[in-house]
């Protein structure tokens, strides 16, 4: 078997992207932790975003990415797109509902 060698510039680019994304996530988490007094609210927001993402957004996106006719406007692609849009709207609705005063 032939072992593919990685291009050093490609490896450096991947490392840069990894470090950048990790830094942004760390800074965003720290900013939320410093801005919010109630840790329960933070858990609610994280739970709402991750739950809706895992249930409504990621599966249709994976289906669209793996389908051979992803640019074909068919029933499956329309339903997947609708599911992603509903997931994004649900996430937005959860954020608005969690920020309303009780």
């Amino acid at each position: 078997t032939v072992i593919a060698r990685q291009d050093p510039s490609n490896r450096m680019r991947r490392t840069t992207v990894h470090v950048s994304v990790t830094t942004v996530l760390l800074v965003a988490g720290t900013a939320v932790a410093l801005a919010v007094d109630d840790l329960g609210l933070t858990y609610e927001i994280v739970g709402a975003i991750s739950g809706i993402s895992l249930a409504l957004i990621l599966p249709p996106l994976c289906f669209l990415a793996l389908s051979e006719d992803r640019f074909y406007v068919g029933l499956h692609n329309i339903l997947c797109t609708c599911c992603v849009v509903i997931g994004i709207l649900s996430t937005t609705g959860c954020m608005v509902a969690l920020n309303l005063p009780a």
Side-chain angles (χ1 to χ4, degrees):
T1 61
V2 177
I3 298 174
R5 295 180 185 225
Q6 289 186 354
D7 184 22
S9 64
N10 186 25
R11 185 174 182 197
M12 184 66 163
R13 189 174 335 123
R14 288 178 56 207
T15 302
T16 304
V17 168
H18 171 72
V19 169
S20 300
V21 169
T22 303
T23 304
V24 167
L25 289 174
L26 181 66
V27 169
T30 304
V32 169
L34 292 174
V36 176
D37 294 333
D38 185 14
L39 192 58
L41 178 65
T42 306
Y43 285 147
E44 289 175 9
I45 291 172
V46 170
I49 290 173
S50 61
I52 291 174
S53 297
L54 287 174
L56 293 175
I57 297 174
L58 290 179
L61 285 180
C62 290
F63 176 80
L64 289 174
L66 295 174
S67 66
E68 295 175 0
D69 56 350
R70 73 179 86 162
F71 298 112
Y72 174 72
V73 181
L75 181 63
H76 287 90
N77 293 357
I78 292 171
L79 291 176
C80 286
T81 305
C82 289
C83 192
V84 170
V85 170
I86 289 170
I88 292 171
L89 291 175
S90 298
T91 305
T92 307
C94 286
M95 296 304 104
V96 170
L98 287 173
N99 288 327
L100 290 176

